[in-house]
Amino acid sequence: MKIVVLLSGIDSLIAKKKIEIDYPDAEIVSVYYDYGQPFKDNDLASLPDDVEVRKFDLAPDLYPGGVSDVNGRNMAAITLSCQWYQPDMIVCGFLYDEQGSYKDDDIIFCNLMGRILQRIYNKPIKVTSPFFEMRATKSEAIEWALCNGFTIDDLTRTVSCMFVEEVGHQCGTCFKCFTRYMAFLYNGIDVYKQYQNHPFSKAENLNNVFDRVSNSDYIYTEAMRYFLKLSDEYDVAFALSSRSINNYLKK
């Protein structure tokens, strides 16, 4: 059995490990697609040495403002993987709590692509995302990884920033930095020193936390319990104490 894993960052890196455990006898090929994204050097610095790098032009002038995500990139990468590798399975790093931003990042898309590829290549080709199928969040994927051979360093050297300004250093305020930060907090790991700005320094992120905790979101609640134990270390502690988050955590 031949499996292609589309690698890009922490989510797909963990998905690769899951596939290695589930399919110990399979031939697994790890592929990173360089389509002009400004953060590729950061991605590649955190990925395994055996990853194959493939280049393709997705669109001209794709990143005038440095924005990292592009509609259709997953569909293009999957299609090219079938053409180049003729696999039996293609694995993505989609997560249950991050679906919906694009139309090619969920299990519905995976199933549709599998049907299209089967029609074109005249054989079953499964397109899957193991943690999406488990309905796992980023927090739960990291928790799984720490229980299955990953070290904290393995995970924290990955990059998830939409506006990376230098290798290994992330902005801290974009949505991807924020969700990554909360996922590590949930697992008792504070990675704020990796960011140029603390994720809670952006009002939108902080409001998101309050909304999620007030609505009894278990993962965000547990993440904030851990954060508040450390909050004396931060300049943003005043922002937390000025709201009623402590009352929600005491419920």
Side-chain angles (χ1 to χ4, degrees):
M1 184 178 194
K2 189 171 188 179
I3 301 174
V4 170
V5 180
L6 304 181
L7 286 185
S8 58
I10 186 170
D11 305 332
S12 53
L13 192 64
I14 297 172
K16 177 177 181 286
K17 180 67 171 180
K18 181 75 166 64
I19 291 299
E20 290 172 345
I21 292 173
D22 292 348
Y23 299 90
D25 298 323
E27 176 190 356
I28 299 176
V29 181
S30 302
V31 186
Y32 178 87
Y33 283 98
D34 172 2
Y35 48 88
Q37 60 270 50
F39 52 88
K40 62 186 177 184
D41 290 340
N42 301 71
D43 283 344
L44 291 171
S46 67
L47 295 179
D49 294 335
D50 63 349
V51 64
E52 296 186 16
V53 180
R54 293 273 190 172
K55 291 187 177 183
F56 69 92
D57 292 326
L58 193 57
D61 302 322
L62 203 55
Y63 300 100
V67 177
S68 63
D69 283 338
V70 180
N71 274 321
R73 72 192 189 284
N74 295 317
M75 180 176 66
I78 289 169
T79 303
L80 290 172
S81 294
C82 283
Q83 192 67 27
W84 285 330
Y85 297 101
Q86 302 293 309
D88 302 293
M89 180 186 296
I90 298 177
V91 177
C92 307
F94 308 149
L95 294 170
Y96 193 72
D97 62 336
E98 295 184 358
Q99 63 179 305
S101 298
Y102 300 89
K103 298 303 182 183
D104 61 349
D105 66 351
D106 60 20
I107 207 67
I108 295 175
F109 163 75
C110 288
N111 292 336
L112 288 172
M113 278 299 294
R115 291 166 60 187
I116 292 170
L117 295 173
Q118 180 172 351
R119 178 179 176 85
I120 293 172
Y121 292 96
N122 199 32
K123 73 168 189 175
I125 300 176
K126 183 176 183 180
V127 181
T128 186
S129 182
F131 287 97
F132 195 108
E133 291 187 356
M134 295 164 59
R135 297 191 170 216
T137 64
K138 186 184 289 288
S139 301
E140 291 164 335
I142 291 175
E143 182 179 27
W144 181 94
L146 292 169
C147 294
N148 286 274
F150 280 89
T151 66
I152 293 175
D153 184 62
D154 290 333
L155 299 174
T156 57
R157 69 167 176 255
T158 60
V159 174
S160 301
C161 182
M162 295 175 68
F163 304 99
V164 175
E165 295 186 13
E166 61 185 65
V167 173
H169 215 66
Q170 304 170 78
C171 75
T173 54
C174 73
F175 176 74
K176 288 196 170 185
C177 282
F178 169 65
T179 55
R180 178 179 184 272
Y181 179 70
M182 294 303 294
F184 275 111
L185 270 186
Y186 171 78
N187 286 281
I189 304 166
D190 197 336
V191 293
Y192 79 97
K193 290 183 179 179
Q194 293 187 328
Y195 300 119
Q196 290 181 340
N197 304 284
H198 195 287
F200 292 160
S201 65
K202 185 176 180 180
E204 182 181 349
N205 290 343
L206 198 55
N207 288 335
N208 191 350
V209 170
F210 286 115
D211 290 342
R212 298 278 287 268
V213 172
S214 65
N215 287 307
S216 301
D217 183 301
Y218 172 77
I219 286 176
Y220 272 52
T221 298
E222 291 305 305
M224 293 312 297
R225 288 188 196 280
Y226 178 72
F227 173 80
L228 288 174
K229 293 178 182 178
L230 308 175
S231 60
D232 289 344
E233 300 179 18
Y234 301 101
D235 292 335
V236 297
F238 75 91
L240 294 168
S241 61
S242 68
R243 303 285 294 270
S244 57
I245 192 168
N246 278 302
N247 292 329
Y248 291 117
L249 292 175
K250 291 175 183 177
K251 289 182 179 180

